[in-house]
Amino acid sequence: MTIPFFQVDAFTSKPFGGNPAAVCLLDNWPADELLGSIAAENNLSETAFLVPSRTREADYELRWFTPEIEVDLCGHATLASGHVALRHLRPDAEAVSFSTRSGVLRVHREATGSLRMDLPADPREAGHEPAIAAILGNEPLALLGGSTWIAVLPSASEVESLDPDIGQVAALQVPYLNVTGPGDPDSGVDFVSRFFAPGAGIDEDPVTGSAHCALTPYWAGRLGRSRLRARQVSARGGEVDCELVGERVLLRGTCAEVIEGHLTLSPL
């Protein structure tokens, strides 16, 4: 079996920044075990798999795997998949659509050269988890619950300098921690964040598109604006342009394609 393969750095304009995702092009779905093995072999935070859609609902079916699990939504690998589809598969199209576990997601070209994703908003309510204060070394300004804990800190510098014990994060009932704070006034950034996901086998994710589906509603409400500029301040770092539109979040970003080739698998 030979599988066309791309590695794309998402939410960055330069190679070796942003968040790398593998994008694999398939004719049909093999066993889930094989998809998981390919993702584990790639050992990136996400591997995306595309199959031509069997219905008119979307252009492709899209699934995402970490090295350990399949996930319900991945923003950066959707952006990378949109990049591959619009550059290599549908170069004359203005948009591409994907049928996923999170509904139909669309990626559009923008005149600026960016790509725009249309994702479901994920507003959160206040939660309570005493262990997070110990992990952070202080009580957060706010703590929002859900599929991921969101802890709000007073400043960007506190988010950047945070060095949490990943074992403690993994021990949380929900082993995912998204830490955010306001951007520095002169940075041109409205808010910053970092994302720790040992529950998915990822100590720290470089740039997490899906996290901004929850961060955007929070910061839009706090700052009183629907269009926001965000930076994920991981070691690789990445820029995300966010916009809240009703119950949807539009995320804009660029991609840098760094590898194109094939996976060659001998008979299993």
Side-chain angles (χ1 to χ4, degrees), residues 121-147:
D122 184 17
R124 301 294 182 83
E125 296 182 354
H128 181 67
E129 172 51 85
I132 289 179
I135 293 171
L136 300 176
N138 210 339
E139 196 72 37
L141 296 179
L143 184 62
L144 309 177
S147 58

Side-chain angles (χ1 to χ4, degrees), residues 2-90:
T2 300
I3 301 172
F5 168 94
F6 300 85
Q7 186 167 313
V8 178
D9 293 341
F11 293 115
T12 181
S13 59
K14 299 178 180 179
F16 315 126
N19 200 351
V23 180
C24 298
L25 308 182
L26 303 170
D27 294 325
N28 46 57
W29 291 114
D32 287 3
E33 181 181 3
L34 177 58
L35 300 178
S37 295
I38 292 171
E41 180 76 9
N42 291 336
N43 200 31
L44 300 171
S45 59
E46 300 288 344
T47 295
F49 297 95
L50 271 64
V51 168
S53 180
R54 293 163 289 185
T55 71
R56 295 183 179 180
E57 180 182 50
D59 299 316
Y60 299 94
E61 297 173 9
L62 172 61
R63 295 170 69 183
W64 312 277
F65 285 73
T66 77
E68 294 190 5
I69 63 171
E70 182 174 8
V71 298
D72 292 334
L73 178 63
C74 177
H76 86 276
T78 301
L79 194 73
S81 298
H83 167 88
V84 170
L86 291 171
R87 181 174 181 182
H88 297 280
L89 304 178
R90 294 172 175 253

Side-chain angles (χ1 to χ4, degrees), residues 184-246:
D184 291 328
D186 298 328
S187 67
V189 172
D190 294 300
F191 66 91
V192 302
S193 67
R194 293 173 67 190
F195 191 86
F196 305 95
I202 305 162
D203 287 354
E204 181 171 3
D205 195 36
V207 191
T208 315
S210 60
H212 289 78
C213 294
L215 293 171
T216 300
Y218 171 80
W219 285 105
R222 178 166 162 177
L223 299 177
R225 289 188 285 112
S226 61
R227 186 82 179 260
L228 304 163
R229 188 74 180 171
R231 179 177 296 145
Q232 195 152 330
V233 288
S234 63
R236 291 175 65 102
E239 308 285 337
V240 187
D241 184 319
C242 312
E243 184 177 5
L244 182 63
V245 181

